């Protein structure tokens, strides 16, 4: 049965305490009244069952205490963990996270970003599918826009915390080259290239400097899709002897495809991931990968989001470097198979 009980209002608390509605409002917000009055009002509010009307508070303050978190793809294990922890950190500041998934679809991303901005979220934190898309300009005019992983070159963002992919890509390909590999497959979500992205322009430039033959393949994050992409690569003539996967979720697909084809890691194919998921240490052999400073990332994002919402201030762009986690998934190519 519906609950038709009348909502307790400020006027009810005012009548109970003998104060004016304005004094009650100030007391509940801890403003302009003595501590004893604040205590008395809060006790009355608790006793009467008063609950703040979120719509009224939003109208009065101009804030909803809601922060949108728009993820590129929640099939990626790294993004799953990041968004959950980010939601908890935001909750500790008194803000609720509204987490949505763009499913690696630029058109859906544009729709969701516009919808969240229209819902008057206090800020929008985004792991973008397409950093260069035109819709970010409009979104940045509607709410505080904070970007993770990639800069948004066409928008006036409140903050950007990006990854040093130049360092990560150079180190990864250099390590594979030093192990003797010359034919390397790069597996990427297939996202638009920006200066922050480890996309084709960056990996091909580094590969050219190292004398490597490179094949770039796009892949979804889910295991079935990533496995299909890796299986195709591993059954072609002159298959890669090593893979660099821009996401451990996609590296799991290489492991699965190799197993299906009777190949072993790293004897037949080496695999290098890029975001060091805890599950990666449980593989056989454990996956070598790159660890990004997630705790520092979360601290920076939450701090900059609160600053943008409460003070209307922009923060300096921050670039975070990776640290390689070298395990057992990389070895030299068998019998010189990596030679071009």
């Amino acid at each position: 049965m519906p609950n038709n009980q009348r909502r307790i209002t400020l006027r009810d608390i005012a009548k109970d305490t003998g104060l004016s509605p304005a004094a009650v409002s100030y007391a509940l917000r801890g403003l302009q009244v003595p501590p004893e009055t604040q205590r008395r009002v809060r006790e009355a509010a608790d006793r009467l069952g008063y609950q703040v009307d979120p719509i009224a508070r939003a109208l009065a303050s101009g804030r909803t205490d809601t922060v949108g978190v728009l993820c590129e793809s929640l099939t990626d294990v790294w993004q799953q963990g990041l968004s959950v922890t980010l939601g908890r950190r935001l909750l500790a500041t008194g803000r609720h996270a509204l987490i949505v998934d763009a499913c690696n679809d630029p058109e859906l991303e544009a729709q969701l970003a516009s919808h969240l901005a229209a819902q008057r979220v206090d800020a929008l934190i985004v792991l973008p599918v397409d950093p260069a898309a035109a819709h970010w300009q409009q979104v940045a005019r509607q709410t505080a826009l904070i970007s993770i992983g990639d800069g948004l070159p066409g928008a006036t963002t409140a903050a950007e915390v990006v990854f040093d992919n130049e360092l990560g890509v150079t180190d990864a390909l250099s390590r594979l080259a030093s192990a003797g590999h010359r034919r390397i497959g790069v597996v990427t979500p297939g996202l638009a290239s920006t200066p922050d992205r480890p996309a084709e322009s960056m990996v091909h430039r580094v590969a050219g400097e190292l004398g490597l033959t490179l094949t770039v393949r796009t892949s979804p994050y889910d295991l079935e899709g990533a496995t299909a992409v890796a299986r195709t690569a591993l059954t072609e003539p002159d298959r890669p002897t090593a893979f660099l996967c821009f996401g451990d979720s996609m590296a799991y697909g290489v492991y699965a495809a190799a197993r299906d084809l009777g190949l072993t890691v790293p004897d037949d194919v080496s695999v290098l991931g890029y975001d060091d998921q805890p599950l990666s240490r449980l593989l056989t052999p454990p996956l070598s990968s790159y660890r990004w400073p997630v705790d520092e990332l979360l601290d920076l994002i939450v701090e900059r989001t609160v600053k943008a919402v409460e003070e209307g201030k922009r923060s300096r762009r921050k670039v975070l470097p990776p640290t390689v986690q070298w395990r057992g998934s990389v070895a030299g190519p068998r019998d010189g198979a990596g030679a071009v």
Side-chain angles (χ1 to χ4, degrees), residues 91-240:
L91 188 60
T93 71
R95 294 168 174 84
H96 300 278
L98 180 57
I99 301 171
V100 294
D101 184 4
C103 302
N104 208 27
D105 182 338
E107 293 185 4
L108 179 59
E109 176 183 69
Q111 295 173 15
L112 291 173
S114 297
H115 179 73
L116 287 167
Q119 293 296 309
R120 301 181 66 85
V121 292
D122 294 336
L124 177 58
I125 301 171
V126 58
L127 292 87
V129 177
D130 185 358
H135 61 260
W136 298 125
Q137 300 177 29
Q138 177 63 29
V139 172
R141 288 192 287 267
Q142 295 176 272
T143 189
L145 182 60
I146 296 96
S147 182
I148 296 178
D150 297 282
L152 305 178
T156 304
T157 53
E160 294 180 349
V161 181
V162 303
F163 301 137
D164 191 345
N165 284 307
E166 181 80 19
L167 174 62
V169 167
T170 301
D171 188 78
L173 292 180
S174 296
R175 287 177 182 272
L176 292 175
S178 296
H181 296 281
R182 292 295 176 268
R183 295 197 305 273
I184 297 174
V186 173
V187 185
T188 173
L191 308 175
S193 180
T194 72
D196 302 313
R197 294 240 162 164
E200 291 193 23
S201 59
M202 186 179 296
V203 293
H204 279 301
R205 178 179 58 76
V206 175
E209 295 170 355
L210 296 172
L212 306 176
T213 298
L214 211 65
T215 302
V216 178
R217 296 179 179 274
T218 60
S219 170
Y221 286 107
D222 67 276
L223 181 60
E224 183 177 351
T227 301
V229 170
R231 186 184 297 112
T232 298
L234 288 170
T235 53
E236 290 185 344
D238 294 330
R239 64 172 176 82

Side-chain angles (χ1 to χ4, degrees), residues 54 57 61-69 83-99 120-125 143-144 146 298-299 301-313:
R57 182 172 59 181
S61 66
R63 298 179 187 171
T64 61
D65 291 335
T66 301
V67 174
V69 180
S83 60
V84 168
T85 308
L86 180 57
R88 292 172 181 165
R89 298 260 187 121
L90 289 168
L91 188 60
T93 71
R95 294 168 174 84
H96 300 278
L98 180 57
I99 301 171
R120 301 181 66 85
V121 292
D122 294 336
L124 177 58
I125 301 171
T143 189
I146 296 96
L298 290 166
D299 288 342
I301 290 297
V302 173
E303 173 192 335
R304 282 159 164 72
T305 300
V306 172
K307 183 178 179 180
V309 172
E310 295 188 352
E311 303 176 29
K313 293 183 178 180

